[in-house]
Amino acid sequence: VQLQAYGGGLVQAGGSLRLSCAASGAILSITGMGWYRQGPGKLRELVAFITGGGSTNYADSVKGRFTISRDSAKNTVFLQMSSLKAEDTAVYSCNAYGRRTERINFNVWGQGTQVTVSS
């Protein structure tokens, strides 16, 4: 199973960006997909997560500004980021876990995508 992330870039403070992450390969089901980020000199942190059933969870720092959604048919997760702040600058990575078969699970990471917010 592989993840391919898209959508990073440079944006001014207050602007918006949309990240996408598509899972491909042998997938029976996806239990959850999420976005994490690691800013300069910081530890990686969870940004947002969505389960296979559609439940979502957000870091307090992004609540009300970021929205995670998914297209289950395409095994793709999106992160709509609005009202971006300089402190949102980070490398964003997606993660997915689930089942490849009835007996084999997967837990994979996509390549990071840089998001830079200029103040």
Side-chain angles (χ1 to χ4, degrees), residues 19 34-40 42-48 59-63 65-66 79 81 84-94 109 112-113 115 117:
L19 305 182
W35 287 97
Y36 294 74
R37 68 185 180 187
Q38 186 167 15
K42 299 181 180 179
L43 297 175
R44 185 169 63 190
E45 63 175 350
L46 173 68
V47 177
D60 288 342
S61 60
V62 306
K63 284 180 180 177
R65 300 188 298 120
F66 291 11
L79 185 68
M81 304 184 292
L84 283 160
K85 305 175 181 180
E87 50 263 44
D88 294 318
T89 294
V91 175
Y92 286 70
S93 302
C94 59
W109 290 86
T113 185
V115 172
V117 184

Side-chain angles (χ1 to χ4, degrees), residues 32-76:
M33 296 184 78
W35 287 97
Y36 294 74
R37 68 185 180 187
Q38 186 167 15
K42 299 181 180 179
L43 297 175
R44 185 169 63 190
E45 63 175 350
L46 173 68
V47 177
F49 189 83
I50 186 166
T51 69
S55 298
T56 58
N57 187 39
Y58 296 91
D60 288 342
S61 60
V62 306
K63 284 180 180 177
R65 300 188 298 120
F66 291 11
T67 300
I68 190 168
S69 61
R70 62 190 173 88
D71 182 335
S72 297
K74 297 182 179 179
N75 291 328
T76 300

Side-chain angles (χ1 to χ4, degrees), residues 79-112:
L79 185 68
Q80 178 66 47
M81 304 184 292
S82 303
S83 301
L84 283 160
K85 305 175 181 180
E87 50 263 44
D88 294 318
T89 294
V91 175
Y92 286 70
S93 302
C94 59
N95 170 263
Y97 67 93
R99 292 187 174 185
R100 292 182 60 189
T101 69
E102 289 293 341
R103 295 186 176 184
I104 300 175
N105 297 327
F106 70 86
N107 188 333
V108 295
W109 290 86
Q111 87 286 5

